[in-house]
Amino acid sequence: MPLNQTGRPIDDVIADLRAKQAGDARWREGRTFGLVFDGGPEVHEVAERAAQLFLHENALNTKAFPSLGELQAEVVRWTADLLHGPSGAAGFMTSGGTESILCAVLAARERGRKERGITQPHMVVPESAHAAFHKAAHLFGIELTKTPVKADWTADVEAMAAAITPDTVLLVGSAPQFPQGVVDDIPAIAALAQAAGANCHADACMGGFVLPFAEMLGRPTPPWDFRVEGVSSISADVHKLGYAPKGASVVLYRDRDLRAHQTFVFDGWLGGFYASPNLQGSRPGLPMAAAWAVMSHLGVDGYLRLTDATLRCADRLRAAIRATPGLRVLGDDAYHLVAMASDPAAAHPIDVFALGDALARRGWLHDRQGPPDSLHATVSAGNARVMDLYLAEFEDSVAEVTGRRAADRSTDYATLE
Ligand SMILES: Cc1ncc(COP(=O)(O)O)c(C=O)c1O
């Protein structure tokens, strides 16, 4: 259908949009284990009111919108404090985890070029690290060595050490990694990076707004943040377990010198001086203001409440999987990312893709992932409210699929259309 010639009444336009949403995942009912993270009605309200205020503003030029410069500085400072950044720690807001990772990889490349004269940069990335690192290598012309994980799904640090070359500019660890939810040995990876004169990026897109609160709640938390010497940069997504709407992440550096390698400054254009902190040009104020508003509304106590609910919910999910013959949990018991897989040692292993399909028919959304074939759950506070219902339908679904196998073996973390 071409664009209509004459405009249409607002109510009709909105009614069409609502109709298009009919087939979408039911996140408002707590039925998505990923994609949308729901902090509850008050979090929606504060985000929506902030979004209304900043719907049209543009952080391209914070001299025109000093409010957005302030909001960014505060979100960055609050996040740096949570992650024990030293007083000189500095960063920027970005549109999401992928952009934060792209910026950190670019900064590592540029540091290698300027300080060590590296012209053919190389990075070492465990196979569990997010696909965004591969995208960065592709975009920025960096050779990437992918290293294996160990039996506990954490990065094999010895393999990473063996992969380092004189041109290595970056080593990556995750806190936690997405597929099995485990935290890599960040101190060991950071030590390797330091010895090589390279950056170490700790990807806490998933954990940045969980691990600090888990630690405050007394859950065992391995060292992973800026308290680890040698961690040069961290990505932490406010739009995941920070419960802000999409479009908000923070990329942080231990100091301003490391951050300077990320920025782009150009003074040779007829349009005037161009200074750009991240990969964007025009930068929507909406996600920045909404992230600021959600963080400010929740405060540390709000995040402790949501993190506690989330981690208890993840514990219940793991317990249910372990109590089900034919299923097993991949990874440890620590945080909010849960991977369930078939148990090959069981008398009747359950095909998790068939199980995922049965759950989807009941309105529950898990990502399929692999290898190995597994169902992913990023548990968040919105799931906690409906866990009794989920667990009942999980049991029904297990009974329904025992002995069946899904013909479709595809996995779809992200799509093109
Ligand atoms: C560990 C990790 N890093 C990076 C990302 C990418 O974040 P985004 O989807 O916001 O680009 C994700 C997304 O789930 C993730 O789990």
Side-chain angles (χ1 to χ4, degrees):
M1 290 280 282
L3 177 64
N4 38 289
Q5 183 67 39
T6 54
R8 301 170 59 222
I10 293 170
D11 284 346
D12 291 2
V13 171
I14 299 297
D16 275 6
L17 286 178
R18 282 196 200 288
K20 285 182 194 295
Q21 286 184 307
D24 287 356
R26 290 151 63 183
W27 65 269
R28 285 175 196 277
E29 298 168 31
R31 285 170 177 271
T32 54
F33 289 93
L35 296 170
V36 180
F37 309 100
D38 180 1
E42 288 194 5
V43 171
H44 296 185
E45 183 182 340
V46 77
E48 284 163 19
R49 287 172 65 179
Q52 285 275 342
L53 281 177
F54 282 86
L55 187 58
H56 303 288
E57 277 63 14
N58 188 349
L60 174 67
N61 186 330
T62 49
K63 286 185 182 156
F65 296 106
S67 59
L68 289 172
E70 272 174 42
L71 296 181
Q72 169 168 251
E74 286 171 21
V75 167
V76 166
R77 190 66 249 163
W78 294 339
T79 309
D81 287 348
L82 284 172
L83 308 187
H84 300 94
S87 58
F92 293 112
M93 291 189 76
T94 71
S95 62
T98 297
E99 191 185 357
S100 288
I101 287 170
L102 294 178
C103 289
V105 173
L106 181 66
R109 187 193 77 175
E110 289 302 284
R111 180 183 169 212
R113 186 174 64 79
K114 290 176 205 155
E115 292 183 3
R116 294 160 61 206
I118 292 174
T119 52
Q120 294 190 312
H122 167 257
M123 62 201 256
V124 182
V125 178
E127 59 183 336
S128 51
H130 196 269
F133 291 99
H134 297 264
K135 187 174 188 172
H138 167 70
L139 288 174
F140 302 141
I142 301 174
E143 189 195 339
L144 185 154
T145 301
K146 190 170 74 166
T147 52
V149 293
K150 296 186 298 184
D152 65 0
W153 305 101
T154 62
D156 180 339
V157 179
E158 280 179 24
M160 293 183 77
I164 294 172
T165 75
D167 289 330
T168 300
V169 294
L170 178 67
L171 280 84
V172 171
S174 305
Q177 43 93 307
F178 177 87
Q180 291 83 24
V182 298
V183 177
D184 290 327
D185 186 348
I186 303 289
I189 296 171
L192 288 179
Q194 259 190 324
N199 277 15
C200 167
H201 183 76
D203 177 12
C205 285
M206 267 298 176
F209 287 87
V210 173
L211 272 55
F213 305 110
E215 188 179 343
M216 290 178 210
L217 288 166
R219 294 217 173 210
T221 307
W224 72 275
D225 62 14
F226 283 116
R227 283 171 290 185
V228 177
E229 210 192 319
V231 167
S232 12
S233 55
I234 298 181
S235 46
D237 290 358
V238 204
H239 74 192
K240 291 195 174 73
L241 280 281
Y243 293 101
K246 289 293 167 284
S249 170
V250 176
V251 59
L252 289 167
Y253 297 86
R254 180 173 288 281
D255 57 47
R256 293 181 81 88
D257 289 344
L258 287 169
R259 190 187 73 166
H261 298 298
Q262 162 180 332
T263 52
F264 178 75
V265 176
F266 183 61
D267 197 11
W269 178 41
L270 301 187
F273 180 71
Y274 182 90
S276 175
N278 57 24
L279 301 182
Q280 301 169 51
S282 284
R283 296 174 72 194
L286 185 161
M288 297 168 76
W292 185 94
V294 169
M295 286 185 76
S296 176
H297 171 70
L298 284 172
V300 171
D301 287 345
Y303 280 116
L304 285 172
R305 179 174 49 79
L306 293 175
T307 306
D308 192 42
T310 298
L311 295 180
R312 284 172 193 272
C313 181
D315 291 343
R316 288 187 72 192
L317 175 58
R318 280 185 282 256
I321 298 166
R322 292 206 168 106
T324 305
L327 287 180
R328 66 189 169 128
V329 175
L330 307 180
D332 61 20
D333 275 332
Y335 297 115
H336 57 301
L337 299 161
V338 181
M340 65 178 110
S342 177
D343 180 2
H348 302 287
I350 289 170
D351 175 26
V352 281
F353 287 178
L355 177 59
D357 292 347
L359 285 163
R361 286 193 287 280
R362 291 166 172 81
W364 303 98
L365 186 78
H366 289 278
D367 272 346
R368 287 171 167 212
Q369 61 179 15
D373 289 352
S374 48
L375 285 188
H376 176 92
T378 299
V379 177
S380 62
N383 305 123
R385 296 195 295 272
V386 291
M387 207 50 190
D388 289 339
L389 176 62
Y390 172 82
L391 291 177
E393 300 204 344
F394 174 80
E395 233 178 88
D396 293 347
S397 304
V398 167
E400 183 186 312
V401 303
T402 300
R404 298 207 194 146
R405 184 175 161 83
D408 172 16
R409 309 306 298 169
S410 61
T411 57
D412 270 335
Y413 174 87
T415 53
L416 283 185
E417 280 83 32

